[in-house]
Amino acid sequence: MPTALVTGASAGLGACFARALAAEGSDVVLVARDTARLLTTKVALEERFGIQAEVLSADLGTDAGGAAVAARLASADAPIDTLINNAGIGLYQQFLEAPLADEERMLDLNVRAVLRLSHAAAEAMLARGGGLIVNVSSVAGFLPRGAVATYSASKAWVTMFSEALAVQYAGTDLHVTSICPGFTHTEFHQRADADMSGVPKWMWLEADEVVRDGLADARKGKAISVPNAKYKVLVGASRAIPRPLLRKVMGRGGL
Ligand SMILES: NC(=O)c1ccc[n+]([C@@H]2O[C@H](COP(=O)([O-])OP(=O)(O)OC[C@H]3O[C@@H](n4cnc5c(N)ncnc54)[C@H](OP(=O)(O)O)[C@@H]3O)[C@@H](O)[C@H]2O)c1
């Protein structure tokens, strides 16, 4: 039975990834901090899809949490075929308004944990012949978003890191994909206490479609997946126009 490990599986996109993989018949390892929510998800997935779900409570912003999940990825007795590095947080404050500790906490989760878990997974997967690593990034990683500078930079790192790994392991059975969603209905903005009232309705995606499109792209071996046609056009345009013009369009303190 294939087994996938999903971080941030207690809510939002992570819960959708876990459900989609379980629906395909994969066992799942559910990682997040909220043990009660993970246990509820475990029971629901096992009952509905007849798979085995394992709960691994860990704070991936800490060394101990990262080490526990890395150790699970390294296990030879219960191997993981697919890693979904999905857990992430945002910080919707101008650079000097946010406490530096909060910026660092975001980098620990959005960057350091992704690095550490990718390292553990790649090593174990290559030793067994292959596997799939999916890193959830963001459209924000393509854009200099003034209001969320560190978040955008953290996601630029995730996208470039994943693309570079895809280049490095091309021709092997280790596949790496970065999924870059646009605004998606989850708990993400609420947790960041962000006022999203200015974002037009048409820009919002549903978590299920992001996961469906992203997993389909990953299975096709795409290094970068931008779910939804509207966002494909937006990202394509942002890459095609001159950078000084893009900076003007984004505007100071823009979304
Ligand atoms: N929603 C969007 O508009 C959007 C757009 C582009 C990209 N993304 C990216 O999508 C990913 C998933 O976000 P989402 O929208 O699904 O957000 P969400 O609904 O807030 O879910 C975030 C998940 O991450 C977990 N998490 C948070 N801090 C953690 C920590 N320190 N250690 C372990 N797990 C932690 C949360 O669980 P616990 O609280 O139980 O730990 C939760 O399961 C993120 O990487 C985000 O940057 C989101």
Side-chain angles (χ1 to χ4, degrees):
M1 186 81 98
T3 305
L5 184 147
V6 182
T7 71
S10 61
L13 287 163
C16 283
F17 274 112
R19 195 164 53 244
L21 290 159
E24 291 173 0
S26 178
D27 286 343
V28 285
V29 181
L30 309 168
V31 179
R33 293 165 302 176
D34 190 330
T35 310
R37 280 183 96 175
L38 291 179
L39 285 169
T40 305
T41 306
K42 167 189 162 70
V43 171
L45 295 181
E46 287 182 342
E47 275 180 11
R48 183 159 172 206
F49 301 113
I51 53 94
Q52 296 289 313
E54 187 181 321
V55 165
L56 177 45
S57 308
D59 182 344
L60 286 169
T62 66
D63 269 338
V69 180
R72 178 63 189 85
L73 286 162
S75 165
D77 299 335
I80 304 290
D81 317 280
T82 299
L83 164 64
I84 312 279
N85 264 318
N86 161 81
I89 50 171
L91 192 56
Y92 276 73
Q93 278 173 292
Q94 294 282 329
F95 184 53
L96 291 181
E97 284 168 12
L100 184 58
D102 287 354
E103 304 267 15
E104 289 177 326
R105 198 164 55 86
M106 179 166 57
L107 288 183
D108 283 345
L109 181 63
N110 293 10
V111 175
R112 236 180 128 241
V114 173
L115 170 69
R116 188 172 194 170
L117 301 192
S118 297
H119 193 276
E123 202 163 44
M125 288 171 179
L126 281 170
R128 287 195 310 273
L132 173 65
I133 299 176
V134 170
N135 294 327
V136 179
S137 186
S138 171
V139 160
F142 297 111
L143 303 169
R145 288 174 66 196
V148 291
T150 308
Y151 177 74
S152 290
S154 76
K155 293 303 185 178
W157 182 89
V158 173
T159 307
M160 182 57 81
F161 171 67
S162 310
E163 189 178 18
L165 288 187
V167 169
Q168 187 170 346
Y169 293 110
T172 75
D173 282 325
L174 177 64
H175 302 286
V176 184
T177 296
S178 164
I179 299 179
C180 306
F183 295 119
T184 307
H185 284 124
T186 65
E187 297 172 13
F188 181 83
H189 297 100
Q190 201 182 318
R191 287 177 193 247
D193 205 15
D195 176 8
M196 304 309 287
S197 54
V199 178
K201 233 176 168 180
W202 66 266
M203 291 191 88
W204 286 97
L205 306 176
E206 297 306 322
D208 283 327
E209 66 169 308
V210 169
V211 166
R212 185 197 59 221
D213 292 3
L215 279 179
D217 284 344
R219 262 62 183 270
K220 285 180 202 149
K222 289 194 181 175
I224 298 180
S225 165
V226 178
N228 188 278
K230 286 175 285 199
Y231 276 102
K232 282 184 178 50
V233 171
L234 280 179
V235 168
S238 76
R239 289 171 132 180
I241 67 174
R243 211 66 191 171
L245 180 57
L246 178 64
R247 286 197 289 274
K248 265 199 186 133
V249 171
M250 295 309 294
R252 266 190 77 216
L255 284 170

